[in-house]
Amino acid sequence: MENGNKPTNTKRRRSSASEKAKEIEAINGIVSGRNVLITGGASGLGHAFMTHFLKHGANKIVILDIDAETGRRVEMSVEKSYGEKKVHFIHADVSNYEQMTVAFEKAKSLMKDINIVINNAGILDERRWEKEIAVNIGGMVCTALLAIKYLKEDLYGYGSTLVNVSQHIDIKCTAQLPVYTATKHAIIGLSQSLAATYPCENTGIRVITLCPGLTETALTVDSPNKLLSRVMKADFVKNLEQLSIQTPYVVAQGLMSILRIGESGSIWVVENGRSPYEVYVPNPSSLRRTYKNNITLVEPKVTTRGRPIREVCDNTRTGLMSCA
């Protein structure tokens, strides 16, 4: 601690031009030539994911979305820039298992193999909480199970990858979104269970959870109008003003780095426009509270018993995310 500049200098070295070039090369090695399926890919985070996969040389991309007009417009736009048959749009409702089964079959016929699935589709509408649960949980489960079925270990040696998109939520700031918050917590449990049930060493499939912080999308912008009651709106808007908001581009950029180093079962957060960092689900026994004489709270010593965190990322706001 004698030299306060050391940590800063280290971070700068990690994000140097040569380090960025090496990371781009590493990401290209994982993404280039591979086939990707993205749910909710017509706009917002899904569209940003698609753009980055194209940038790093993905072979073919299929985007699934319920918005047919926007989806077809994206397909035509990409065709002008990258050529025909690079991106295919399939109209599907992720909460409808029959539609999704047909969509996966069609995607497989278009791409032959599916190497990466980004399970991203979701909605925010507390007033229609039944639909919210159907899409955010039912749709996620539907996509995840089909992904496990259709993903194959590829010839590149990296295996296939399923990324379930949850969200990094501060309950103090988003207490007015109880149902939405519950659905996003459920995705973490889904990922953890799938990673344990289908171990990567046996199946060749990684299951990774991505938890973006507050991100500027249509879903976020319109969220104050989708609460259970108007009374909640003022408090919710006030809370949001205290949070930093990031662009979908930064989240997608972070995902590229996570694909390079993320292990199956890992959970990654991208917030405040900064580099991704890994978190873990603590062992419940480490969180147990005890009381002395049933009155005085005795704070336990928290011990990390989850999967060890093997990589630590820096906090640079620009360039690619460099990890030590």
Side-chain angles (χ1 to χ4, degrees), residues 222-241:
D222 199 34
S223 59
N225 299 317
K226 300 298 181 71
L227 305 181
L228 288 170
S229 70
R230 294 180 179 178
V231 177
M232 296 179 173
K233 184 173 181 178
D235 289 337
F236 183 64
V237 171
K238 184 178 179 180
N239 290 338
L240 287 182
E241 291 174 350

Side-chain angles (χ1 to χ4, degrees), residues 67 75 94 121 146 153-154 232:
D67 187 344
E75 183 181 41
V94 294
L146 287 169
E153 187 170 3
D154 61 84
M232 296 179 173

